[in-house]
Amino acid sequence: MKTILVVNSGSSSVKFQVFATDGVTALERMIKGQMSGIGTVPRLRAYDAGGGPLIDETFDAAKVADVAVAIQTVGAWLREQRNIMPIAVGHRIVHGGPDYDCAVLIDEDVLARLEKLTCLAPLHQPNNLAPIRSIRTRFPDLPQIGCFDTAFHRSHSAVADYYAIPRQYYADGVRRYGFHGLSYEYIAGRLHEVAPGIAAKRVVVAHLGSGASMCALSGGRSIESSLGFTALDGLPMGTRPGQTDPGVVLYLIEQRGMSASSVQDMLYHDCGLKGLSGISNDVRELEASDDPRAAFALDYFAYRAGLYAGMLAAALGGIDGFVFTAGIGENSASMRMRIAEKLRWLGADIDPVANAAHAELISQPKSRIPLYRIATDEEMMIARHTLACLAESLKQCPGQGRVA
């Protein structure tokens, strides 16, 4: 049986899925798992396609101290206990920079280009690339495919892409990239099944999780995003501030004496819901709290989402549908209600009963704009790109991707 391994790695966890394939187009999920608590309390859990447990094992912290060792541990379990020897590995990579607008077969040149983008995604890029290095060392002939969160947004117009700074910086790669593209691409495809009446129209999608953004789709293509050059822009997130006047950063450096690295650390780790509430970056904890700071953080999040919905509706020249997705968007009925209230002026009318039941269609029949809750599946999207890129690589090695 042919299989594809999908890897989505972070600083303290490695999520993975295994898909059976015919090597052409068919994909069937077999295993879904995660190695969490890397370096502290490493724990490997995995489930079969029906949700049945396959393993739940805790390791000594010293034996799984980093992401590279974690992927080795996962790989050993898949080979030795599940007899999984994938024909390719697909990786989520947050930043593709100006060079990559599609999935690519990874070689040393591609890795070197991607490592140069670490400063633009310091929370994500190093951890996205560590498993690739680890696998290349142990299995140099195993094809690995990079799938980029920025690629889906490369359809933006120049007007949407540029910053109003001297033009030469655009040539250097300083532009609005947008992120969460794998999620948006999946939702764009799912709309043809869930809501065919609006799939080719003007839709705003809210990917709301610890990392959060919103995207304007027209005919299933991204035309605008709340995120830009880095993953700090747009909506407030779990620990990141979202849109912030650049003068604030200059003030912190020049007047408060903070170093650039300390400001960067604060912006990525201490802001957003965590910074506003002083309690947590987790919406579930904030919703359960009676602390007024928690309520304020949640109100702020909803308020900013409402503002960006208006901005994206303007970019589209109108709106025909709105979709909630990702961890918060799929699971928090309270946050969906808060945000939907901000969309009333656009003609949105949420159905409290359908919303509480986490239905796919959560708007009233009379709502001018239908509201949907659609589960995203970035791993399936990565598997599809991996299979397609693998097939293409048999014809011609596309190691450099399409250079935009």
Side-chain angles (χ1 to χ4, degrees):
M1 177 177 57
K2 295 179 180 179
T3 58
I4 284 175
L5 172 63
V6 169
V7 176
N8 184 349
S9 59
S11 59
S12 62
S13 68
V14 173
K15 298 177 183 178
F16 64 94
Q17 294 194 30
V18 177
F19 294 83
T21 180
D22 61 359
V24 183
T25 58
L27 288 164
E28 181 179 354
R29 200 183 324 267
M30 294 173 56
I31 298 173
K32 181 177 182 178
Q34 177 174 346
M35 174 73 83
S36 60
I38 297 170
T40 54
V41 185
R43 183 182 182 187
L44 174 58
R45 286 175 289 179
Y47 307 87
D48 63 23
L54 298 175
I55 186 174
D56 188 344
E57 183 176 347
T58 301
F59 298 82
D60 183 88
K63 292 184 178 180
V64 187
D66 56 34
V67 170
V69 177
I71 197 65
Q72 291 175 20
T73 305
V74 169
W77 175 74
L78 289 172
R79 291 191 306 275
E80 297 165 11
Q81 302 299 319
R82 309 306 305 178
N83 198 31
I84 299 294
M85 294 292 291
I87 60 172
V89 183
H91 297 266
R92 177 198 177 207
I93 301 175
V94 165
H95 217 306
D99 290 340
Y100 301 108
D101 67 349
C102 64
V104 296
L105 182 67
I106 295 173
D107 58 21
E108 284 299 322
D109 179 63
V110 171
L111 264 179
R113 289 172 180 241
L114 296 177
E115 284 170 345
K116 291 179 180 178
L117 300 172
T118 294
C119 62
L120 305 186
L123 279 187
H124 305 90
Q125 202 83 347
N127 299 305
N128 296 160
L129 302 182
I132 299 174
R133 285 288 188 198
S134 178
I135 293 170
R136 280 180 67 81
T137 298
R138 296 170 64 83
F139 303 96
D141 296 327
L142 179 61
Q144 298 190 77
I145 310 299
C147 304
F148 305 102
D149 262 340
T150 50
F152 184 64
H153 302 294
R154 296 305 302 278
S155 55
H156 289 182
S157 68
V159 169
D161 248 5
Y162 270 75
Y163 285 106
I165 59 177
R167 291 180 68 94
Q168 68 263 27
Y169 294 109
Y170 184 87
D172 293 335
V174 182
R175 59 187 73 175
R176 295 180 54 83
Y177 290 103
F179 298 91
H180 298 131
L182 292 164
S183 175
Y184 293 126
E185 185 177 8
Y186 179 82
I187 295 298
R190 277 285 288 153
L191 281 172
H192 289 280
E193 303 169 21
V194 176
I198 64 169
K201 295 183 179 180
R202 303 164 299 180
V203 179
V204 172
V205 183
H207 176 104
L208 308 178
S210 181
S213 69
M214 294 170 69
C215 176
L217 298 178
S218 179
R221 299 171 72 247
S222 172
I223 68 160
E224 183 59 272
S225 168
S226 64
L227 280 170
F229 183 54
T230 71
L232 289 172
D233 203 0
L235 299 177
M237 301 173 227
T239 62
R240 286 168 273 169
Q243 184 182 30
T244 304
D245 185 337
V248 173
V249 175
L250 297 177
Y251 167 79
L252 294 175
I253 293 173
E254 295 179 357
Q255 302 300 319
R256 297 295 294 270
M258 294 177 68
S259 66
S261 62
S262 62
V263 171
Q264 175 177 279
D265 187 68
M266 181 196 75
L267 293 175
Y268 277 100
H269 298 283
D270 297 321
C271 295
L273 295 175
K274 178 184 176 182
L276 285 172
S277 70
I279 298 170
S280 175
N281 65 333
D282 192 319
V283 164
R284 292 166 297 186
E285 292 184 33
L286 297 178
E287 289 178 337
S289 173
D290 58 4
D291 191 312
R293 296 176 301 168
F296 176 80
L298 295 170
D299 285 342
Y300 185 91
F301 186 88
Y303 172 72
R304 300 301 295 185
L307 289 181
Y308 271 94
M311 180 193 81
L312 295 175
L316 289 166
I319 181 172
D320 301 303
F322 190 97
V323 177
F324 294 94
T325 193
I328 299 170
E330 293 171 28
N331 298 305
S332 176
S334 172
M335 183 54 71
R336 290 195 299 267
M337 182 67 76
R338 288 172 185 262
I339 294 173
E341 289 295 322
K342 308 294 183 185
L343 307 179
R344 281 188 173 276
W345 70 278
L346 288 168
D349 190 0
I350 194 167
D351 181 336
V353 176
N355 183 51
H358 300 294
E360 283 191 328
L361 178 61
I362 58 172
S363 53
Q364 300 273 9
K366 65 180 181 179
S367 180
R368 189 178 69 79
I369 296 172
L371 304 174
Y372 288 91
R373 170 200 167 273
I374 302 177
T376 192
D377 194 340
E378 293 164 302
E379 288 76 17
M380 177 59 80
M381 205 69 245
I382 294 169
R384 290 173 183 169
H385 283 306
T386 298
L387 192 57
C389 192
L390 185 64
E392 182 65 22
S393 71
L394 296 176
K395 303 175 185 177
Q396 55 177 359
C397 179
Q400 298 304 314
R402 294 195 299 272
V403 178

